[in-house]
Amino acid sequence: MNPLIKIITFPGTNCEYDAYKQLRFLGAEAELVWHQQSTLGNCSGIILPGGFAHGDYLRPGAIARFSPIMEEVIKFAEAGGPVVGICNGFQVLTECGLLPGALSKNEEMRFICKTVPCVVKSTASVLTSAATGGQELHLPINHGEGNYVCDDATLQYLTTNNMIVLSYTTNVNGSIENIAGITNKIGNVVGLMPHPERAVDPLTGQTDGQVLLKSFIEATK
Amino acid sequence: MEKKHILLGLTDSEYDLIKEKLGREPNDLELAMYSVMWSEHCSYKSSRIHLGRLPSASPRVLVGPGENAGVIDVGDNIAVAIRIESHNHPSAIEPYQGAATGAGGIIRDIFTMGARPIALMDPLFTGPPEQPHNAYLLDGIVKGISGYGNSVGVPTVGGNLVFDTCYNQNPLVNVFCLGILPKDRLVLGRASGVGNLVVLLGSSTGRDGIGGVSILASAAFESDQAGDTTSQSSSKRPSVQVGDPYEEKRLIEASLALLDAHLVVAIQDLGGAGLACATSELAARGRVAMDVYLSEIPLRESDMTPPEIMTSESQERMLAIVKPDDFADVQEICKKFEVQASVIGHIVPESSDCPNQLRILTEAGGTVLADIPAATLADEAPKYNREITPPKPLAKLDDMLSASRDPAEIATDGSHHASVPDIAEDILRLLVDPAFVYEQYDHQLFTNTVCGPGEADAAVLKLSAPDIAFTGKALALSSDANPNYCAIDPRLGTAMTVAESALNVACTGAEPIGLVNCLNFGNPEHGEVMWQLSESIDGMAQACRELDIPVVGGNVSLYNSSEGKDILPTPVVAVVGLIESISQKPPIIGLNAEETLILLGQTEHNLCGSAVSRLHEQSSPRAHACNLPRLDLKFHKQLIGFITKLVGAQIGSSNGIPQEIANSTDNLLSYIHDVSFGGIAIALCEMAIKSQCGAIVTGISSVEELFSESPSRVIVCTKFPEKILELSQQYGIPSKVIGSAGGKAVTADNLFTLDLANMSDQFSGYLSTYLKVTDRE
C-alpha cells in the first residue's frame, strides 16, 4: 500500500486544505479525517493542522483532545508513527500529553502573523531529518497563543535529550529559550508553531517549509 | 410620552404611509418590523434615488447591486462575489464586538451566494491615536477584526488606515469580503415552491442587537457640549451584536456543503433587522407567501416578546428554503457541523389580494400576530429626495488666508502652493507603517497570498480555494479613500478615489473588473451632506464609466458625526482586478541599488487637498477651498492599460501583451509604486524603507512637485531605463528620470535629506507608541 498521510480536521480547524494541498504538491498522498471518526484506516503519518479547533473554547486544544479520533492518534503515536502538530495542532499535542509543556498567550497579548527566521536545533525528528543542524529557515507564524512554557525540570529534560527541534532567532512571542518546535524523546511526534505548509509555493513567498514537509513525507514511507 | 413609532425611529408621515399600505393601524409587532426595515440602514431611503446613476453593467457581471453580493465572471467556470459594508456606529460604542460582527456580517453575505470567502479588507478611519480614546477605539477595532477574522478562517489581506479628528467620536469601520465559487453553485435569495420549508440555521435568537439598524445605524450621534458620548454610548450598547466566529465557521462549512449537495432552494443571511429582514426579503424577491411560527424559533431567553424575536440581530444565523423531502439530508449535514437547523415556517399558497403575504403566527395553526405584504417591508420604504444644498462659494483668497495660519497661498488659478518650512520633518510626520495593524491579522490562510498587506499597491491572491483548483489566474484587490479631496470637491475627489484604486490593481498587472463602494457620510437631513453624497455618486459614476469598471454593489452609512460636526465625506471604493495568468510574483514596493527611478505620468504642481497641506492647516478642509489637481480620465485609462501590460508581461500574463514587451527576457521592472498620499516624497521614502536602500533624487525642483498628490502617476525602479522611456513614449505616457537608487539616505538636492534609520524608526514606531499604551490601562 502507498504511504497515506491523514490530516485530522476538527470543527474550527482551518489549515487542513493548505496542508493537504502542499503535501500533494510535494508528491505525498493525503486524506482529511473528520474528528468524529473512530478509526484511522490505512495511515502512515498524521498531521494535526492549524486553526481554532472547537473555537479554542476553554483553551486551545483543550476540547479537541476529547474527540473520538484522538484515541487513535495517541495509539498511532505511541506505536512510533510519525505525527506532526502545526500551530493549533501543537496545542492539541501538548493538551493530550503527547508533548510536554504548554502554549500560553503571546507575551504582548496580540495575535502575530508574519514570516520570521528560525533555526533548526536538532535534526533527530520526523520533521527535521532532511534539514541540517543550524540551518536558518524563514517560516510564517500565525498565532495568538504560541508562547511556549514549561517548568525547569521539563526544560532540562528537553535540552538533555535534544528535543528542541526549532527555535526563533529573536524571541517573537515570549517562548522560553525561543522555542518554536519540540519533539518527543524518540523523535516521531513533533509540534511547532510556524506553518511549514505556508512556505512551499515560490509564488507566495518563502519555500523554506519544503525541507520540513519533505522530511515528514520521507518518514511516512 | 412620545408616540411608539417615534421611539422606534419612524416619522409621522412614515407611520401614515404604513397605515395606508395596511389599510389599518399596525399592531406593535408590525410596527417594530416596519421600523427596522424602513430604517435608513436597510432601506437606503435617503440615497436610493441617487444610487441608480451608478453604472453596473459589464459582460462579466453575473449579479449586480441589490442582492447580498455582486458576482463577477472570471472565466474557467469560476466567479467572484464581492461586497463591502460599514459597522461604524456599533464600533464607536463597543469597538471589539462592533468590528468583529462587521466582519461576520459581510462574510455571511458572501457565502450566502454560494461563494467560499477567501479574503477580507478593512478600511479603518479613526481620530489620531495620540488621543487615548482614539487609541482605545483603534486597538479594540483591530483586535475585533483579528479575533473574528482569524478564527473564522478568512484571511485579511488589505485595508486602509486614515486618521483625522473628524472621526474622533465616530470611527469608520468598513469591511470588504471576497469569495469565489464554481459558477453553478451561485444561488440567489429568492424563496419559491409552495409547501417548502423555511429553515433557520445556526445560533439561537437572543436579545442582542435589537434595533441595531434603526436606533444605532440610522440616527445621529448626539453628544453633549463636552463632546462626550459616553453616557449615550452605554445606553445604546445593548443594540450592539455579539459575535461568535466558531459558530460562523461551522455555519460556512454547513452552508457550502448544503449548496454543494443542492439541498437548498434559496438561502439568505440574517444581519441587520434579523428575521424581519430575511423573511420579508426572501418572500418579496421570490414573490411567494410565507408563514413563520414563533414557537419554532430557538431562543436564548424564553420570555422574549414577538417584536424582540423578529428584530433581534443575533449573529451567525441563516435562513434557507428547503424541499420537505430534503430536510432529513439537511439535518444530516447540519449535525456533522454541529449547526442547529429548525423548521420555522412554510411557503404557503398566495392569498387572492397579495402574492407575497408574510404572516407571523404564534405556532403552526395558531394566532396570527402580524399579517403584512412582504414587499411593503422589503421594497416599499419611502424614498426621499432630500434637499440638496450646495455649499456657499468661498471668497477663496481672503478666506483661506484668514482661516489658516500657515504660509499657504492660493494662486490666481486656485491651485494651492505652500512654502513648507521643514520638508524632512513633514515627511517624517506622514510616514506611518500599518504593519502593527495587519500583523495581527492572518493574511496567508489558503496559501493564496502572492502580495500581502503593505507589500504592493494592491493585494494579489492566487485564484483558488479549498474546492477550486488554481488555474493560473490571480486577483488583485485594493481599497481606497480620500476624504481630504472629497471634502474640497466630492465629485472630483470621488473620481480620483476610483482612479487611484484602479491604478493600484494595475500596478500588480491586473485589469480592473469590478468595484464595490461604501459611502460614509454625515447627516442626510443636512442639505450640504446630501450635496456631497449626490456629487460623490456622480463622480464615481463618471470615473467608472470612463474606466469601464462596473459597480456591482455598495453600502451607504449616513449620520456619521463627531462632536456635533458631520464627518468629512468618505466614500470608500474597493476594486477587484484580474490577472489572466501568473507565473511570477509582480514587482512590489521597493528599490534596488544602482537602478534608475522613472516617473510615469505628469505632476501638477498643486498642493490643494494634499496631506502635507493638511499638516499645516488648522481647520478641516472645506468645499471649494482651493481647486484640486486635474484628473484626465482618458489619460488615466491609457496609463492603466500601459502599466497592466508592462507588469502583466513580466509576470506571465498573456493578455494582449505586445511583442516588444513580451520578448524581453529580463524583468523590465524591479519595483513599482503609485504616487498618492504624500506625493512623490512619501512614495519614494516608502520604497526606500521597504528595501532598506536609499535614493538620490534629481529631477524634482520644488516643494509642490515633491508633495503634490495629482493623479495618474507611478514610480518604477528599473535596470533598463532606456527601454522604459522608449516604451512609454510609444504608448503616449510622459516619463522622466527622477533619480537613482542607492546609499543609506533619501536625498533630493536643495530639498531634503533623510537617513534610512531615522525614517524607518519613525515609520515602524508610530502606531506601537500609542497603541501599546492601552495595554497598560
Side-chain angles (χ1 to χ4, degrees):
Chain A
M1 234 180 293
N2 288 332
L4 182 60
I5 296 167
K6 295 292 172 82
I7 301 167
I8 311 296
T9 309
F10 304 93
T13 298
N14 61 29
C15 298
E16 71 275 28
Y17 292 104
D18 295 347
Y20 174 82
K21 181 166 79 174
Q22 307 301 20
L23 287 170
R24 289 176 54 97
F25 175 79
L26 295 172
E29 284 303 316
E31 260 178 28
L32 303 184
V33 175
W34 188 241
H35 77 124
Q36 290 286 10
Q37 279 176 230
S38 48
T39 55
L40 282 165
N42 171 25
C43 175
S44 48
I46 293 173
I47 297 255
L48 293 158
F52 295 76
H54 297 280
D56 275 0
Y57 282 10
L58 193 58
R59 290 189 302 278
I63 299 175
R65 61 176 283 215
F66 296 109
S67 286
I69 197 68
M70 284 309 292
E71 259 180 57
E72 295 302 300
V73 172
I74 291 168
K75 270 190 227 156
F76 182 85
E78 284 172 348
V83 177
V84 169
I86 301 168
C87 198
N88 192 224
F90 186 10
Q91 294 162 338
V92 175
L93 288 175
T94 58
E95 284 289 337
C96 74
L98 283 175
L99 290 173
L103 294 142
S104 62
K105 282 202 189 300
N106 295 347
E107 197 171 45
E108 292 200 4
M109 305 298 279
R110 280 173 203 283
F111 195 94
I112 309 171
C113 177
K114 66 201 273 195
T115 296
V116 297
C118 300
V119 172
V120 177
K121 301 295 270 188
S122 162
T123 55
S125 84
V126 291
L127 194 70
T128 50
S129 59
T132 48
Q135 186 176 356
E136 190 171 292
L137 301 175
H138 287 256
L139 297 171
I141 57 166
N142 184 68
H143 58 250
E145 306 190 29
N147 179 354
Y148 184 81
V149 291
C150 64
D151 58 22
D152 290 345
T154 307
L155 184 62
Q156 185 65 43
Y157 170 71
L158 289 175
T159 0
T160 315
N161 293 292
N162 208 16
M163 288 160 65
I164 301 172
V165 295
L166 202 62
S167 68
Y168 308 110
T169 59
T170 52
N171 199 321
V172 287
N173 55 17
S175 288
I176 193 163
E177 294 289 308
N178 290 7
I179 285 174
I182 58 171
T183 182
N184 62 353
K185 206 169 172 182
I186 60 166
N188 69 311
V189 178
V190 179
L192 78 167
M193 289 314 294
H195 286 261
E197 82 283 8
R198 293 187 177 193
V200 171
D201 179 356
L203 198 52
T204 58
Q206 307 296 328
T207 54
D208 287 359
Q210 286 199 13
V211 66
L212 300 179
L213 293 183
K214 282 177 181 163
S215 304
F216 177 69
I217 292 169
E218 205 45 49
T220 65
K221 285 179 182 169
Chain B
M1 200 184 116
E2 271 195 286
K3 291 177 240 168
K4 271 183 197 153
H5 65 266
I6 301 282
L7 290 171
L8 290 170
L10 291 165
T11 65
D12 287 335
S13 65
E14 286 167 347
Y15 185 73
D16 291 340
L17 188 59
I18 292 168
K19 280 196 290 189
E20 192 189 313
K21 301 260 179 209
L22 289 178
R24 60 178 167 82
E25 296 272 342
N27 62 34
D28 285 358
L29 172 59
E30 292 165 340
L31 193 60
M33 290 168 71
Y34 277 105
S35 76
V36 289
M37 288 306 291
W38 286 15
S39 66
E40 188 66 59
H41 183 87
C42 287
S43 72
Y44 298 88
K45 59 191 170 192
S46 300
S47 56
R48 201 169 248 190
I49 64 158
H50 300 287
L51 294 170
R53 301 202 293 272
L54 294 168
S56 57
S58 136
R60 287 190 187 276
V61 175
L62 300 175
V63 177
E67 282 281 346
N68 291 301
V71 181
I72 305 170
D73 191 344
V74 291
D76 304 331
N77 278 316
I78 302 170
V80 304
I82 53 174
R83 165 107 189 187
I84 189 167
E85 266 208 354
S86 61
H87 240 216
N88 303 340
H89 290 172
S91 304
I93 288 169
E94 216 302 286
Y96 185 100
Q97 289 299 343
T101 53
I106 198 73
I107 290 168
R108 281 194 301 283
D109 281 327
I110 295 301
F111 70 81
T112 296
M113 307 299 292
R116 152 110 21 208
I118 60 160
L120 292 167
M121 294 197 288
D122 62 339
L124 305 179
F125 306 75
T126 69
E130 286 86 342
Q131 288 181 31
H133 184 68
N134 294 334
Y136 152 78
L137 288 176
L138 180 59
D139 195 49
I141 289 164
V142 171
K143 283 185 172 151
I145 292 170
S146 163
Y148 200 100
N150 297 347
S151 181
V152 77
V154 184
T156 303
V157 300
N160 309 77
L161 192 55
V162 174
F163 300 128
D164 194 288
T165 51
C166 80
Y167 309 114
N168 275 352
Q169 309 283 346
N170 194 148
L172 304 183
V173 176
N174 291 180
V175 193
F176 163 94
C177 188
L178 176 144
I180 65 178
L181 65 154
K183 261 164 73 178
D184 61 8
R185 200 165 68 196
L186 178 62
V187 59
L188 300 176
R190 288 177 194 171
S192 66
V194 171
N196 282 347
L197 311 175
V198 179
V199 179
L200 183 61
L201 304 172
S203 283
S204 298
T205 299
R207 282 201 169 98
D208 49 332
I210 288 172
V213 291
S214 48
I215 296 165
L216 258 187
S218 305
F221 271 1
E222 282 143 24
S223 44
D224 60 31
Q225 284 174 334
D228 177 20
T229 55
T230 321
S231 56
Q232 69 146 12
S233 291
S234 37
S235 74
K236 284 184 174 178
R237 196 160 288 140
S239 293
V240 179
Q241 315 104 341
V242 178
D244 178 355
Y246 176 52
E247 181 79 42
E248 178 117 329
K249 168 69 173 164
R250 287 179 284 121
L251 199 53
I252 295 176
E253 301 304 333
S255 300
L256 293 179
L258 292 174
L259 289 169
D260 274 335
H262 303 286
L263 291 173
V264 298
V265 175
I267 192 164
Q268 163 94 27
D269 70 303
L270 275 77
L275 275 166
C277 179
T279 52
S280 64
E281 287 193 354
L282 274 173
R285 287 203 202 102
R287 297 186 65 77
V288 294
M290 186 186 289
D291 280 358
V292 174
Y293 319 125
L294 292 185
S295 59
E296 303 308 308
I297 298 168
L299 301 178
R300 290 181 202 166
E301 295 167 81
S302 56
D303 60 343
M304 287 176 69
T305 64
E308 286 175 331
I309 295 170
M310 289 306 293
T311 64
S312 158
E313 293 181 10
S314 288
Q315 297 287 291
E316 291 92 23
R317 295 178 298 162
M318 302 285 281
L319 197 62
I321 306 297
V322 175
K323 290 181 189 150
D325 288 350
D326 289 336
F327 186 62
D329 293 339
V330 168
Q331 279 180 305
E332 189 67 23
I333 286 177
C334 288
K335 191 177 161 209
K336 171 176 174 183
F337 293 105
E338 299 169 28
V339 165
Q340 193 170 222
S342 321
V343 177
I344 65 156
H346 283 98
I347 308 294
V348 294
E350 62 185 65
S351 62
S352 53
D353 49 347
C354 173
N356 54 39
Q357 197 70 11
L358 174 64
R359 299 197 309 166
I360 312 298
L361 294 85
T362 50
E363 62 207 302
T367 314
V368 177
L369 301 174
D371 197 355
I372 309 177
T376 67
L377 282 171
D379 305 320
E380 295 173 20
K383 297 183 183 72
Y384 292 131
N385 191 359
R386 293 196 190 273
E387 193 181 326
I388 290 179
T389 320
K392 293 187 196 80
L394 295 175
K396 284 178 190 158
L397 237 170
D398 293 351
D399 199 87
M400 267 313 287
L401 288 175
S402 60
S404 161
R405 277 194 280 144
D406 82 310
E409 46 180 275
I410 304 292
T412 46
D413 65 352
S415 64
H416 194 175
H417 301 263
S419 58
V420 179
D422 189 338
I423 295 173
E425 185 57 38
D426 280 357
I427 291 176
L428 290 178
R429 286 174 67 191
L430 293 176
L431 285 173
V432 176
D433 183 1
F436 187 81
V437 170
Y438 64 70
E439 284 179 356
Q440 296 182 54
Y441 303 149
D442 182 348
H443 47 82
Q444 300 169 324
L445 185 66
F446 302 132
T447 60
N448 285 331
T449 311
V450 179
C451 297
E455 249 190 304
D457 287 316
V460 177
L461 302 176
K462 290 166 71 175
L463 181 63
S464 91
D467 48 358
I468 295 176
F470 178 55
T471 60
K473 291 182 177 173
L475 299 171
L477 311 177
S478 178
S479 59
D480 295 275
N482 195 334
N484 282 341
Y485 269 20
C486 292
I488 292 166
D489 184 340
R491 180 186 292 244
L492 183 51
T494 306
M496 296 255 212
T497 309
V498 172
E500 182 188 343
S501 214
L503 184 56
N504 280 338
V505 302
C507 284
T508 62
E511 176 202 351
I513 57 167
L515 176 150
V516 287
N517 62 66
C518 193
L519 304 173
N520 306 279
F521 287 79
N523 186 335
E525 293 151 40
H526 299 165
E528 188 170 334
V529 169
M530 279 313 293
W531 172 79
Q532 293 168 340
L533 180 63
S534 172
E535 286 288 296
S536 175
I537 287 169
D538 284 336
M540 186 177 299
Q542 191 189 353
C544 288
R545 206 170 286 122
E546 296 265 353
L547 301 174
D548 277 335
I549 307 173
V551 179
V552 299
N555 175 251
V556 181
S557 169
L558 302 175
Y559 297 99
N560 294 291
S561 66
S562 178
E563 289 146 357
K565 282 197 284 192
D566 290 310
I567 59 160
L568 299 181
T570 312
V572 172
V573 305
V575 168
V576 176
L578 178 64
I579 297 170
E580 284 290 344
S581 164
I582 190 167
S583 55
Q584 175 186 331
K585 184 169 175 153
I588 56 174
I589 299 170
L591 293 175
N592 245 1
E594 321 224 320
E595 294 189 2
T596 305
L597 300 170
I598 293 177
L599 176 73
L600 302 172
Q602 250 170 337
T603 304
E604 179 180 330
H605 296 205
N606 178 357
L607 295 181
C608 176
S610 64
V612 78
S613 297
R614 187 79 181 91
L615 279 184
H616 295 278
E617 280 158 8
Q618 303 299 312
S619 53
S620 295
R622 283 162 302 161
H624 304 316
C626 50
N627 290 340
L628 293 179
R630 282 171 293 273
L631 169 66
D632 177 346
L633 283 166
K634 289 210 164 51
F635 172 74
H636 196 77
K637 191 176 181 189
Q638 209 177 326
L639 178 70
I640 287 175
F642 177 60
I643 301 285
T644 306
K645 287 191 174 100
L646 201 59
V647 177
Q650 182 163 323
I651 63 176
S653 197
S654 58
N655 188 21
I657 302 302
Q659 285 304 308
E660 70 268 27
I661 305 182
N663 286 347
S664 172
T665 46
D666 286 299
N667 286 336
L668 282 180
L669 306 177
S670 299
Y671 291 97
I672 189 166
H673 194 7
D674 84 312
V675 179
S676 51
F677 178 87
I680 290 174
I682 295 303
L684 279 175
C685 290
E686 285 174 350
M687 293 169 94
I689 292 167
K690 290 282 180 187
S691 293
Q692 288 296 297
C693 168
I696 297 160
V697 184
T698 50
I700 306 295
S701 59
S702 70
V703 171
E704 286 79 5
E705 190 173 8
L706 193 62
F707 286 113
S708 165
E709 294 172 16
S710 69
S712 315
R713 292 177 300 153
V714 170
I715 295 173
V716 299
C717 177
T718 176
K719 236 185 287 188
F720 306 98
E722 290 81 17
K723 188 79 186 156
I724 297 288
L725 293 170
E726 184 195 316
L727 280 169
S728 50
Q729 196 181 10
Q730 227 170 298
Y731 281 80
I733 307 294
S735 55
K736 78 169 185 176
V737 172
I738 57 164
S740 58
K744 287 282 161 213
V746 177
T747 306
D749 34 35
N750 303 323
L751 291 170
F752 74 94
T753 297
L754 274 169
D755 63 80
L756 273 176
N758 187 7
M759 279 196 294
S760 305
D761 287 350
Q762 172 63 31
F763 185 65
S764 59
Y766 177 77
L767 280 180
S768 54
T769 305
Y770 299 108
L771 290 186
K772 279 190 178 158
V773 175
T774 61
D775 286 346
R776 292 198 290 271
E777 276 177 359

